[in-house]
Amino acid sequence: ASAVQVKLAAVITGHGDDNNGCGEFCVTSHHFVVNGHPHVITFSEAGTPLGCANRVRTGVEPNEHGTWVYGRDGWCDGRE
């Protein structure tokens, strides 16, 4: 137990679906507990009409013949 720092990298794309048929266009939250402290990441822009279009300045690439504009669950086209 001599670790001073640990970095967690989670790649959450929204691809696939759950038992309700909900995939990349549904709001989800992801819960992590580190040293007893909860951390929650929520992708609330999923399913919004301009969720990814509003993020062009952060690296989102306009493409896919019009579907790129919609908010997605944890990702947008061209964004790392």
Side-chain angles (χ1 to χ4, degrees), residues 22-67:
C22 192
E24 65 185 308
F25 296 109
C26 297
V27 174
T28 61
S29 63
H30 304 270
H31 304 256
F32 304 92
V33 177
V34 179
N35 290 335
H37 300 282
H39 302 273
V40 179
I41 299 170
T42 301
F43 298 110
S44 57
E45 291 184 357
T48 60
L50 297 174
C52 287
N54 290 336
R55 298 177 68 189
V56 169
R57 291 183 180 164
T58 68
V60 173
E61 292 289 331
N63 61 20
E64 287 197 23
H65 307 288
T67 63

Side-chain angles (χ1 to χ4, degrees), residues 3-10 15 18 20 25 29 31-32 35 44-45 49 57 59-60 63 66 70 74-76 78:
V4 176
Q5 179 181 9
V6 175
K7 292 185 179 184
L8 171 68
H15 285 89
D18 62 12
N20 299 312
F25 296 109
S29 63
H31 304 256
F32 304 92
N35 290 335
S44 57
E45 291 184 357
R57 291 183 180 164
V60 173
N63 61 20
Y70 306 121
W75 72 283
C76 288

